[in-house]
Amino acid sequence: MKLNGNEIRPGNVIQHKGSLWVAVKVQSVKPGKGGAFAQVELKDIVSGTKLNERFRAAETVEKVRLEQKEYQYLYEQGEMLVFMDNETYEQLELQADFVGDRAAFLQDGMTVTVESHEGKPLGISLPQFVTLTVTETEPVIKGQTAANSFKPALLENGIKVMVPPFIGQDEKIVIDTNEITYSKRAE
């Protein structure tokens, strides 16, 4: 699908200079002289390198549609994470570093979305929130105010996050997997 240079939006994936790029930031610029253009910050999907490009309205770029498919997380095998396609029951193995730090939030049976292009996995989306148990934290101190004071807590998956002072050991809390931060107490 062709896009004009001024139609590029953040999150769009485009084919540019022989690679796949995702638009991170887009700014429309209307200089005093000359035509308007879009200043676009691009990030290479595969290597992660960044690039700033100018696209005029008359220029066209190829917008790429990524296939999104849901997989169920099964288990970790060495450096590989094993997922199963919910429809065909085929297994997909991905490097643990492909998922990155967020791999620690994978739980048995968790449904994730894998984005791919022409059969090659490019990205993975975890559920935004997961519930985990606090295994270690400082005890609750009476009279300590909750206003902007946080304390470190170790979670069952080995990740450390900052939590409000009223959270105690063995409590279940909800974590935002994108920001890797405390969200709320689990219900």
Side-chain angles (χ1 to χ4, degrees), residues 2-3 9 16 28 30-31 55 64 68 85 99 102 123 127 137 147 154-155 159 165-166 172 180 183-184:
K2 295 279 186 197
L3 272 183
R9 301 285 172 257
H16 183 64
S28 294
K30 294 179 176 89
F55 294 101
V64 177
Q68 292 188 334
D85 185 324
V99 181
R102 298 179 314 146
T137 188
L154 184 66
L155 303 175
I159 299 286
F166 58 82
K172 290 192 178 291
I180 308 181
S183 181
K184 63 182 182 179

Side-chain angles (χ1 to χ4, degrees), residues 7 10 26 49 56 61 64-65 72-73 80 92 102 114 126 153 156 164-165 172 178 187:
E7 294 175 331
V26 179
T49 57
R56 301 219 175 268
V61 291
V64 177
R65 287 224 180 265
Q72 185 177 10
Y73 173 67
M80 302 301 278
L92 171 71
R102 298 179 314 146
V114 176
L126 274 62
E156 62 184 279
K172 290 192 178 291
N178 294 326
E187 315 274 305

Side-chain angles (χ1 to χ4, degrees), residues 145-160:
T145 62
N148 277 347
S149 63
F150 283 82
K151 62 182 182 179
L154 184 66
L155 303 175
E156 62 184 279
N157 63 356
I159 299 286
K160 284 187 177 175

